[in-house]
Amino acid sequence: MSTIGLIGSGNIGGAIARLAVKAGHSVVLSNSRGPETLADLVAELGPNARAATPAEAAAAGDLVVVTIPLKAYKTVPVEELRGKVVFDTNNYYPERDGHIAELDDESTTVSELLQAHLPESFVVKGFNNIYQGHVGELARPAGDPERSVLAIAGDDAAAKKTVTDFLDSLGYGAYDVGPLAEGWRFQRDTPAYGVFFTEKFSFDAVPAARQVTPEVIEPLLKAAKRYRDM
């Protein structure tokens, strides 16, 4: 099994870490506040988990998950991630991240922005369109008829294979949407963004999860519209 580095250990990062440990991986957790703030999560996860700085998590990981607010993407370590596969879960929320001109004019996408910051890494987009509370709930072993797929996008075939194998170990299939530039098809406000909810999301009453198969997600990806066309 692999060592999974996590840059960001909040809701999605914690949910991925739980599945990773359950699957037999080791995890190295990090956040912006320091390793000591992750003591409770490390204790919950057990001996296959430890806390570190982002640079240490990046250096330790065979695969590294970046799951931080997008506004902080330039803090992601570059040297430590050179040559590595980076699994990017990020979304762009201008009200949280501030306005980013090249995302507002749609001349690039969220994960392409991270790829430009990490020119010698191999970025794969995914895990950005599932609610953190559903991550563990929907995981199913290979061959289970209720297994779901997660959309991924990336420019490197070997990196996508690495992420596909990782998702398989966690309990998900991968639905390959194509290159990173196609990652906009399952970004915020697109039909595929809320695909795992049974109805429209509300913080007051989070909808139940539903299984997502290739037959469910494919037409939603095709129906995606650019923000300028909405």
Side-chain angles (χ1 to χ4, degrees):
M1 292 297 178
S2 302
T3 296
I4 310 302
L6 288 112
I7 298 176
S9 301
N11 291 333
I12 287 290
I16 292 172
R18 290 179 181 94
L19 286 182
V21 168
K22 184 177 179 181
H25 300 291
S26 296
V27 298
V28 181
L29 306 161
S30 71
N31 63 18
S32 62
R33 295 177 293 129
E36 65 280 357
T37 66
L38 294 166
D40 289 347
L41 182 56
V42 168
E44 175 195 336
L45 294 173
N48 285 337
R50 65 182 176 91
T53 66
E56 290 166 342
D62 300 308
L63 168 72
V64 178
V65 180
V66 173
T67 177
I68 59 176
L70 181 63
K71 63 184 177 182
Y73 82 92
K74 289 184 179 179
T75 68
V76 174
V78 176
E79 278 299 319
E80 291 83 356
L81 292 174
R82 191 180 302 277
K84 295 192 177 188
V85 177
V86 176
F87 198 7
D88 177 31
T89 79
N90 291 335
N91 289 300
Y92 175 42
Y93 300 105
E95 65 274 17
R96 177 197 67 186
D97 300 313
H99 283 278
I100 300 172
E102 55 265 57
L103 295 180
D104 288 340
D105 67 18
E106 299 186 275
S107 59
T108 192
T109 63
V110 168
S111 292
E112 287 179 293
L113 202 64
L114 182 62
Q115 181 67 83
H117 174 67
L118 302 171
E120 295 187 47
S121 302
F122 304 98
V123 175
V124 178
K125 181 183 184 68
F127 256 123
N128 69 295
N129 66 331
I130 183 169
Y131 177 62
Q132 55 91 12
H134 294 162
V135 171
E137 179 183 344
L138 287 172
R140 299 288 189 279
D144 191 306
E146 294 186 355
R147 191 179 232 209
S148 289
V149 297
L150 283 163
I152 64 169
D155 293 336
D156 185 87
K160 286 196 281 191
K161 175 64 164 58
T162 296
V163 166
T164 296
D165 291 345
F166 176 57
L167 288 177
D168 180 59
S169 74
L170 299 190
Y172 289 90
Y175 187 92
D176 189 349
V177 179
L180 276 184
E182 288 293 285
W184 71 272
R185 291 188 177 276
F186 52 107
Q187 68 188 4
R188 170 184 51 82
D189 295 335
T190 61
Y193 184 68
V195 65
F196 289 96
F197 293 121
T198 52
E199 55 190 84
K200 189 174 180 180
F201 177 78
S202 168
F203 281 109
D204 295 327
V206 176
R210 66 164 173 167
Q211 179 188 14
V212 173
T213 63
E215 293 75 20
V216 169
I217 199 169
E218 183 176 4
L220 299 179
L221 292 164
K222 289 180 177 179
K225 293 182 179 180
R226 295 285 191 175
Y227 294 135
R228 59 180 172 265
D229 297 325
M230 289 182 180

